[in-house]
Amino acid sequence: MKKSISTAFLITVLGLLTACGGGGGQSTPNPDQLNGAQLKGTLPAWPYGAMTPQLYTYGEESLKLMTGSTVSQTGEVSVTLPASPAQPFDLLGGCTFNGTRSVTSIKTDLADVLLFTGPDELLGQVTYVRNSDGFPLTHMYANQAATFNGTAICGSNTLKLNLTLHAGWNMVAAFNESGILNLASVTDPASVTLKLVKAQESVTLSTTDNSSLTLSPQKTETRAITFKQTGGIVGPVTLSTNIPGVVVTPSTITFSSTPGQALQAQAATPALRALSRLTGQAQLQAQALTTNVTFSLNDKATSTLGSEGLELKASQNGVELGKTSFAVSITAPHVKASFQEYLRLSAYRPLQRTSRSPWSRLTVSAGLSPSR
């Protein structure tokens, strides 16, 4: 069975969000060490211990353990990619190309070297990072030497290419710019650094029933919520709401370290499927957990009507990981007391005589509402 990793993993891993920091330190390779088939160097002050990297290939959409490649106890990286990918695809299959190219198309694949702290617990990507902008690079395979400069129209998508490739694995930048997918060769091998780009943790909350919640002391609402975690989240996650007095049951869910699920979205061509995953446009599921969540009120609730949003939040160690929202109508808890009941409850506080009507001596307090 194929393993896949989530979109959020790939967005962070590929640096499509700002790549800053990055655990484990860094070392700068010499120009002749920048080899698309290899990663070599040392990550100083490495705190994670020895690891065997895994290779994620976009043609196969799967993870494979890289037997023979290692990250040592002290952070020394020695990675060699296989000579060729198992399922290369046609770079320009189904596309119309405008520009200059040395060959009609090539067989290609894209791949990333990933590190895991445990089963399916993604730590991040170990890669070369471009020093000029902190952008992580990815490995691109070509079955022959080729150059492409121009744009390819693939259905409703545009792919921009600025590639000078040799046969085998190359280091390239893959990114989304103003809605256009880009693949660009790295032209200055001296300006890169070996680095760990850590994955970002998040939880996506979704439900098939987005209807408004109607809550009162006598009425609760239950929704089946699916929680999808990315970034290798393990352990309890706290559930809460943004409205005081609205509580949820259960108050926590727990993620184990089970494998991810299959790819959910498909693009028109293999090349666009790969680029869509690189740029976070395809929907790859991570570990998913579905449970019934019940919304109810406590004595801190106050009435609210209409479309005021109730947010269901997921947090871990005080850090919000994700949320979803519902329209809500709330009738707050209250207590009704008769006139006689009020007098009985007020027996220990003598009423003051005034010239006003008897009702003027009654003060509505502590949730009591006198009625005849």
Side-chain angles (χ1 to χ4, degrees), residues 132-182:
S132 60
D133 55 11
F135 197 97
L137 307 178
T138 195
H139 302 265
M140 182 176 184
Y141 173 80
N143 68 331
Q144 60 180 310
T147 60
F148 297 90
N149 287 281
T151 58
I153 307 302
C154 310
S156 60
N157 300 279
T158 300
L159 177 63
K160 184 177 179 179
L161 302 177
N162 183 12
L163 296 171
T164 300
L165 305 170
H166 58 76
W169 291 100
N170 301 259
M171 298 301 298
V172 300
F175 55 95
N176 189 318
E177 187 175 56
S178 301
I180 297 176
L181 305 176
N182 285 253

Side-chain angles (χ1 to χ4, degrees), residues 271-308:
L272 285 176
R273 285 203 298 272
L275 266 294
S276 293
R277 289 192 289 282
L278 281 167
T279 54
Q281 294 184 0
Q283 298 298 312
L284 292 168
Q285 284 189 336
Q287 180 192 163
L289 186 158
T290 300
T291 190
N292 287 330
V293 175
T294 298
F295 300 84
S296 60
L297 303 182
N298 64 20
D299 58 6
K300 295 181 180 179
T302 57
S303 294
T304 181
L305 301 173
S307 60
E308 179 178 345

Side-chain angles (χ1 to χ4, degrees), residues 91-115:
L91 176 63
L92 296 177
C95 302
T96 301
F97 181 78
N98 296 302
T100 61
R101 53 185 170 178
S102 61
V103 296
T104 301
S105 189
I106 58 170
K107 291 293 184 180
T108 188
D109 200 354
L110 294 148
D112 294 295
V113 178
L114 306 179
L115 300 180

Side-chain angles (χ1 to χ4, degrees), residues 110-308:
L110 294 148
D112 294 295
V113 178
L114 306 179
L115 300 180
F116 291 76
T117 55
D120 299 285
E121 297 170 20
L122 180 66
L123 175 63
Q125 177 195 20
V126 60
T127 186
Y128 292 125
V129 172
R130 193 160 53 192
N131 292 334
S132 60
D133 55 11
F135 197 97
L137 307 178
T138 195
H139 302 265
M140 182 176 184
Y141 173 80
N143 68 331
Q144 60 180 310
T147 60
F148 297 90
N149 287 281
T151 58
I153 307 302
C154 310
S156 60
N157 300 279
T158 300
L159 177 63
K160 184 177 179 179
L161 302 177
N162 183 12
L163 296 171
T164 300
L165 305 170
H166 58 76
W169 291 100
N170 301 259
M171 298 301 298
V172 300
F175 55 95
N176 189 318
E177 187 175 56
S178 301
I180 297 176
L181 305 176
N182 285 253
L183 279 176
S185 292
V186 179
T187 58
D188 185 1
S191 64
V192 298
T193 293
L194 182 67
K195 197 170 186 179
L196 170 71
V197 181
K198 295 188 70 174
Q200 180 182 1
E201 296 180 347
S202 66
V203 174
T204 301
L205 292 73
S206 62
T207 180
T208 57
D209 184 356
N210 286 303
S211 60
S212 176
L213 302 173
T214 302
L215 303 175
S216 71
Q218 295 79 34
K219 188 175 189 302
T220 64
E221 292 267 17
T222 298
R223 297 287 187 273
I225 308 293
T226 298
F227 302 86
K228 298 175 184 176
Q229 70 85 14
T230 60
I233 297 171
V234 175
V237 170
T238 301
L239 304 182
S240 62
T241 74
N242 63 318
I243 297 180
V246 181
V247 296
V248 292
T249 305
S251 59
T252 62
I253 58 171
T254 301
F255 286 110
S256 61
S257 54
T258 56
Q261 304 299 314
L263 176 68
Q264 296 298 301
Q266 295 292 327
T269 68
L272 285 176
R273 285 203 298 272
L275 266 294
S276 293
R277 289 192 289 282
L278 281 167
T279 54
Q281 294 184 0
Q283 298 298 312
L284 292 168
Q285 284 189 336
Q287 180 192 163
L289 186 158
T290 300
T291 190
N292 287 330
V293 175
T294 298
F295 300 84
S296 60
L297 303 182
N298 64 20
D299 58 6
K300 295 181 180 179
T302 57
S303 294
T304 181
L305 301 173
S307 60
E308 179 178 345

